[in-house]
Amino acid sequence: MSTEPEDPLDRITLSPARFAAVLVVVALLLGLVLALVPVKVASPAVARPAKVSCGNTIGGVETRSIVEGLGEDRAATVDYIDMCERAISERTTVSWLLFFGGLVGGIGMGVVRRRR
């Protein structure tokens, strides 16, 4: 028996396996949320700011709603669609890396057995 007092942090500290499991779940959920939440970008027309959603990473750019939301200004519409495509491309990279990274990590944690 030891005479040292018990460290109170030992009760709330996660083991490495549980910490990895928390990271896997967070990556999966964050990747899924980022894939489904609509992307919004700043309007290219500073004088007339537009409140138009670009779409999400799964469906791509919603060109019809952008054209309806911006009206007849063709140059602003083309600029907006270009910005939306670039924004969705960036979000797609991040969201799918998080989602599939979490998926592979979860499968790895479930399949690989460790000595205890």
Side-chain angles (χ1 to χ4, degrees):
M1 266 179 72
S2 108
T3 58
E4 292 182 27
E6 183 181 343
D7 187 11
L9 291 177
D10 283 342
R11 285 184 269 157
I12 60 171
T13 303
L14 289 173
S15 68
R18 286 190 182 175
F19 181 71
V22 168
L23 287 179
V24 164
V25 169
V26 167
L28 272 169
L29 291 177
L30 187 61
L32 186 62
V33 167
L34 284 175
L36 295 176
V37 172
V39 176
K40 294 188 180 189
V41 296
S43 175
V46 179
R48 274 187 325 132
K51 303 264 183 184
V52 180
S53 173
C54 290
N56 61 18
T57 63
I58 295 173
V61 177
E62 297 174 358
T63 308
R64 179 168 297 177
S65 67
I66 292 172
V67 171
E68 290 172 359
L70 292 177
E72 297 296 321
D73 188 10
R74 187 160 176 84
T77 303
V78 170
D79 287 341
Y80 205 88
I81 290 173
D82 178 52
M83 286 192 315
C84 286
E85 285 178 351
R86 286 186 281 140
I88 286 178
S89 174
E90 292 293 323
R91 170 93 57 97
T92 301
T93 302
V94 172
S95 66
W96 290 111
L97 278 175
L98 282 171
F99 181 76
F100 286 116
L103 189 66
V104 168
I107 290 172
M109 289 187 70
V111 171
V112 176
R113 297 190 179 239
R114 293 172 180 81
R115 286 186 179 173
R116 296 188 179 194

